[in-house]
Amino acid sequence: MLLKERIQTLFKMNLHHICTYWSVFFSFGLCIAFLGSTIMYLRCQTQSTLSQVTLVFFSQQFCLIIGSSIGGVFKKT
């Protein structure tokens, strides 16, 4: 029971941070989900191949992961 109470206390103390992080990742997810469903229209409008368009999405996500990792390292120190 002690562990459960400690987790609940930590959750209550950090509720603002938890809600902020959740909303940021939720909004990122919605943006990516929205763009993913329009990939074929984007391909037609830019007159690109499907592999070129998907490379753009991959690059965006890869840079997001790298930037988040580097930002986390700087924030931690």
Side-chain angles (χ1 to χ4, degrees), residues 12-29:
K12 288 177 184 177
M13 287 174 50
N14 296 307
L15 185 61
H16 183 267
H17 297 290
I18 291 169
C19 290
T20 302
Y21 282 126
W22 178 85
S23 63
V24 166
F25 285 113
F26 183 76
S27 64
F28 275 145

Side-chain angles (χ1 to χ4, degrees), residues 3-75:
L3 180 62
K4 184 178 179 181
E5 292 172 4
R6 184 173 177 189
I7 291 172
Q8 288 176 346
T9 303
L10 284 172
F11 183 79
K12 288 177 184 177
M13 287 174 50
N14 296 307
L15 185 61
H16 183 267
H17 297 290
I18 291 169
C19 290
T20 302
Y21 282 126
W22 178 85
S23 63
V24 166
F25 285 113
F26 183 76
S27 64
F28 275 145
L30 283 179
C31 290
I32 297 305
F34 173 72
L35 291 175
S37 63
T38 61
I39 196 167
M40 297 306 275
Y41 299 113
L42 181 62
R43 181 183 67 88
C44 290
Q45 288 184 351
T46 59
Q47 298 175 351
S48 307
T49 64
L50 186 60
S51 62
Q52 289 173 330
V53 174
T54 54
L55 181 63
V56 171
F57 284 97
F58 171 76
S59 301
Q60 177 191 15
Q61 291 303 305
F62 182 72
C63 290
L64 180 68
I65 288 173
I66 297 299
S68 298
S69 300
I70 292 171
V73 169
F74 284 131
K75 174 69 175 155

